[in-house]
Amino acid sequence: MGELRDERVDLEIVSTDLVYEGAVWNVRSDTVRYGDAQMTRQYVEHPGAAAVVAIDDDGRVVLIQQYRHPIKERDWEIPAGLLDVAGEPPLETAKRELTEEVDLEADRWQHLISMHTTPGGNDEVVHVFLARGLRSVETDYEREHEESDMRVERVPLAEVVDGVLAGRLRNGILATGALAAAEVLRREAAAS
């Protein structure tokens, strides 16, 4: 079988239509040739995002809690934002979001994972980074809407992992990022 990895497939697109043009993302309907037949699929066309598992020197993860209308909850998340600045690499987006959302910068950055959030419904890819060597910074960034009453907490990584595994923390980017960070830290500890 070789190395286990996702495989790119380029199907013939018979037709494509912009069904809805939104402020952040669009909805598209594509008809593609698949084998001897055609199939039509609608999906959200997404710019992608970057997210940060920021861990302080005490092994605590910086979490934010904010209202998310589609799920009607204030869920716990890691700092994240859209890849909405033309030409900005995901790492720079992650650095910007860490500063804008929680007034922090980091000395050490490491790419953790890149993931498709919902491959059956959108084309979003989220790039998740591990940030260490945290320090507070002053910003004049004005938080609006859901960010205006955002709660920020530092929680031990083990407690975050426990919350994910118990089903109390259900944000997919938080869950994947925390589990990946825990594994990276475990491997680093085993190697030293």
Side-chain angles (χ1 to χ4, degrees):
M1 177 172 139
E3 182 181 51
L4 183 63
R5 64 181 310 126
D6 295 338
E7 179 181 331
R8 174 94 182 155
V9 178
D10 292 310
L11 300 177
E12 176 190 350
I13 298 174
V14 177
S15 67
T16 183
D17 295 302
L18 182 62
V19 176
Y20 171 79
E21 185 172 1
V24 177
W25 46 71
N26 303 325
V27 176
R28 186 162 288 288
S29 181
D30 288 353
T31 299
V32 297
R33 191 167 316 284
Y34 196 83
D36 293 335
Q38 292 183 3
M39 63 181 185
T40 301
R41 296 291 184 263
Q42 291 81 34
Y43 61 96
V44 173
E45 193 174 50
H46 196 286
V52 185
V53 179
I55 299 181
D56 67 17
D57 293 340
D58 295 322
R60 298 175 303 170
V61 180
V62 177
L63 298 181
I64 59 175
Q65 186 186 49
Q66 63 181 326
Y67 176 71
R68 293 299 190 182
H69 186 72
I71 61 173
K72 314 292 188 287
E73 291 181 7
R74 291 176 56 84
D75 74 337
W76 287 101
E77 305 177 2
I78 54 178
L82 297 172
L83 299 177
D84 58 359
V85 176
E88 183 177 65
L91 176 58
E92 293 308 309
T93 302
K95 290 178 179 181
R96 178 171 48 83
E97 291 297 331
L98 186 65
T99 300
E100 288 178 359
E101 291 192 348
V102 294
D103 302 322
L104 292 172
E105 290 182 349
D107 293 327
R108 298 184 319 277
W109 289 86
Q110 177 180 354
H111 178 262
L112 281 175
I113 54 168
S114 292
M115 60 180 264
H116 293 284
T117 56
T118 313
N122 70 50
D123 63 358
E124 179 183 27
V125 175
V126 177
H127 307 276
V128 183
F129 297 88
L130 176 60
R132 293 183 268 188
L134 304 180
R135 64 183 177 286
S136 296
V137 293
E138 298 258 342
T139 67
D140 58 0
Y141 181 75
E142 190 172 324
R143 295 177 183 99
E144 299 177 322
H145 307 296
E146 295 95 336
E147 292 181 347
S148 65
D149 63 350
M150 190 166 56
R151 184 173 159 195
V152 179
E153 296 287 340
R154 294 188 184 202
V155 181
L157 178 58
E159 190 176 317
V160 175
V161 169
D162 287 346
V164 168
L165 296 176
R168 295 188 314 271
L169 302 174
R170 298 184 296 170
N171 180 284
I173 297 167
L174 164 66
T176 305
L179 294 171
E183 178 61 12
V184 165
L185 295 177
R186 185 196 66 77
R187 289 180 183 192
E188 286 178 0
S192 56

